[in-house]
Amino acid sequence: MTRAGSLLITGSTGMAGREITRQLLTRTEMPLTLLVHDTGKALSRARLLRELFRLEPSQSMIQRIRLVRGDLGQDHLGLPGSLYADLARSVDGIIHAAATTRFDLPLAEARRVNVLATEHLVRFARGCGNLARFGLLSTVFVSGRRRGRILESERVHTAGFVNTYEQSKYEAEAMVESSDLPYVIYRLSTLVGDSQTGFTSRFTTPHQALRVMHLGLASLVPGMPDYSVDLIPTDWAAATIVNHFLDGPRTGRVIHLVAGATRSYSLAHVIDESYELLGQLDSAWKARHYPKPAITTQAAFQLLVQSAEQAKDPLMMGVLGMLKHFTEQFSYPKEFDTTNLNGADSPPHIREYYGRVVAYCLKSRWGRYA
Amino acid sequence: MKRSKQVRSSVAFLTELGFSYGYVTEEADRFDELLVAAAQEAMADSGRARADIGTLFLYSGLNPHARAPRAGGILERFRYPVAKLADQLELSHANALALSQQGCSGLLSAINLAAHMVEAGGSPAALCVAGDALPRNANREIMYNLMSDAAAAVVVERGSPRNRIVSFHQLAQPAYWDSPQRERELVAAYFPMAQRAICAAVEQAGLRLSDIRWIVPSNVSLRSWTILAELLGIPVSRIWSKNIARVGHTVCCDHVINLRDMSRKGALTRGDHLLLFTFGFGASWTSLILQH
Ligand SMILES: NC(=O)c1ccc[n+]([C@@H]2O[C@H](COP(=O)([O-])OP(=O)(O)OC[C@H]3O[C@@H](n4cnc5c(N)ncnc54)[C@H](OP(=O)(O)O)[C@@H]3O)[C@@H](O)[C@H]2O)c1
């Protein structure tokens, strides 16, 4: 597929989208249409290649890229009518990686980006006469507050959600599922960085949690000590998606991209390792003798959050506010079925590359000197 | 206090944290009277003859070096409160020594030290007096806690029939010595370190948490004790918290005040294991387990 036409990528400037686009550019000869929103909208293709995709822009690579500036939240993807129609003729594959990945938005706002934008894209896709495949990036946490084994073949549940992000992604999946598109849904666990270099283009919750530990402000973490913290390397996830998208035989299915318990640390272990690695890599930090946070109940954690809010302590509110929107997951242990990943390489064990991620966070001061 | 800007938070917030009252010494000179009164009551309560008391410790948690020098020249620095107290208590034969700089952990450390001394021989008893009055119009809210002025005293005796010391455990983190600079980090470290210090003391005593009849708290916020109870997996009802609202948090007199009130209210039964816990600037997390 997509040898003659063009592959449309949304969210190519995001954490997952960048790596997917980078791999498509380096591993294939395919023409790509990148729908960019805010990030990179003022950049030329050459600068985009260099600054966002970390690639030396060759003439042939530049020519393979078609840049369109749009907004999925708008009708017609925020594109002029002629461009919209032109794209519908040329696009034969779509990877939809645009989303809001913030956990703290009001539901209406999360829906506006994750559901409404997906609806607009589905409408566009329906008009693409040659569409062979529509890939939606999603999260394994559409399973919300469910516990236990989560099958790829099931989505519907009534357990509720930990945050509006989970709920809006659940609803986006529902919409894609009910369309008549040749869809594949890639449900990822949590991207943590490049397995070879530790590089990450965005510092998301695992990195911010590490930062809180580095600042010596980690006090309580709600959850179960043996909860399996499923982290996956960005390069592995992107490669798996690209391979599957290009060669995968079947549509109309969901694929879990997870490390699984055997390649993950438990919550207690990931805290131990984080302290161990920070201590090894930063002797000044080690001399500050920060204790590891205690793993506790939701009730205790909520009381601490309440105190920081009532005391109007901006720093602690920031720290605890960041933690509170995702740590509730640590009380809902899950095991993700990976039947549909069938044949794909497994990701490395977190122990093989977590040190690189921690080192990258430290070296870049969590993005300040990236 | 709110009106005189001695507390910054709203009354509603402080109430929710568990505080209703705070005690303020109006006249600095009268504070000495409090020390003497507390010491005399402790001595009378123990029934010990003055001659049995070989050591007098006076503990103060506020840093005396942080005070502005008073008029009167260098001799002012040699005007020792502990000598004055020994004189007032007619303990001229006792070795009188002032201790400081362990914040709220200080009195428990002084008791531990005194216990080692009386066990080692010599005089059979030591008197530990403690007290702090915050400077006039000082901010009385420290890390979400309402501070009171107070004095307290205990007699530590060899072979005491009451409140036998079962274990003392202190986790020190001197890297946190710069309290103003590291206030937020101390707030964050408080709970994990408290959990460790309490569990270690219980283990050292060969007990389990369920063997502890009462946790005798420092009177820091009830909210923080609720969190700690949850962290330890014990019911909050096992923390004798009645004095948090009534007395507030004193630098280091809370446990002695609470123990006396527990005894008066009939909360203590012979043989009960009691765990006294506190955090002190410096920083240290200290547990003392007693058997009543
Ligand atoms: N990162 C993870 O650990 C993770 C884990 C599980 C699942 N996922 C899924 O993977 C996908 C990508 O996540 P990510 O982490 O790469 O997200 P991200 O870094 O936040 O990037 C989001 C991308 O979406 C674009 N975007 C947002 N609103 C848009 C709009 N209205 N129109 C067009 N583009 C818009 C952003 O562009 P601007 O910045 O210019 O707005 C950005 O390129 C999401 O579906 C997410 O649910 C990610």
Side-chain angles (χ1 to χ4, degrees), chain A residues 278-346:
Chain A
L278 287 172
Q280 281 172 21
L281 296 164
D282 183 349
S283 54
W285 179 85
K286 191 175 177 151
R288 294 173 82 82
H289 289 281
Y290 294 124
K292 292 172 195 168
I295 300 176
T296 184
T297 58
Q298 272 298 330
F301 180 72
Q302 287 305 333
L303 281 173
L304 190 68
V305 173
Q306 204 182 327
S307 301
E309 285 171 355
Q310 287 172 325
K312 301 190 176 66
D313 183 331
L315 183 64
M316 291 314 271
M317 271 160 75
V319 164
L320 294 167
M322 190 279 291
L323 293 174
K324 87 175 174 190
H325 290 290
F326 75 96
T327 49
E328 195 193 326
Q329 264 305 340
F330 298 158
S331 301
Y332 301 101
K334 298 173 177 64
E335 185 209 328
F336 300 102
D337 161 40
T338 53
T339 311
N340 291 342
L341 202 50
N342 143 34
D345 287 342
S346 302

Side-chain angles (χ1 to χ4, degrees), chain A residues 115-155:
Chain A
V115 187
L116 185 66
T118 303
E119 190 181 325
H120 290 153
L121 195 63
V122 165
R123 195 173 306 146
F124 166 78
R126 283 215 182 98
C128 295
N130 302 316
L131 192 80
R133 187 159 299 185
F134 181 100
L136 170 72
L137 267 65
S138 187
T139 165
V140 289
F141 297 110
V142 292
S143 51
R145 293 195 172 110
R146 286 184 60 193
R147 294 163 193 263
R149 189 163 167 76
I150 311 291
L151 299 181
E152 290 165 311
S153 57
E154 56 184 5
R155 175 185 54 80

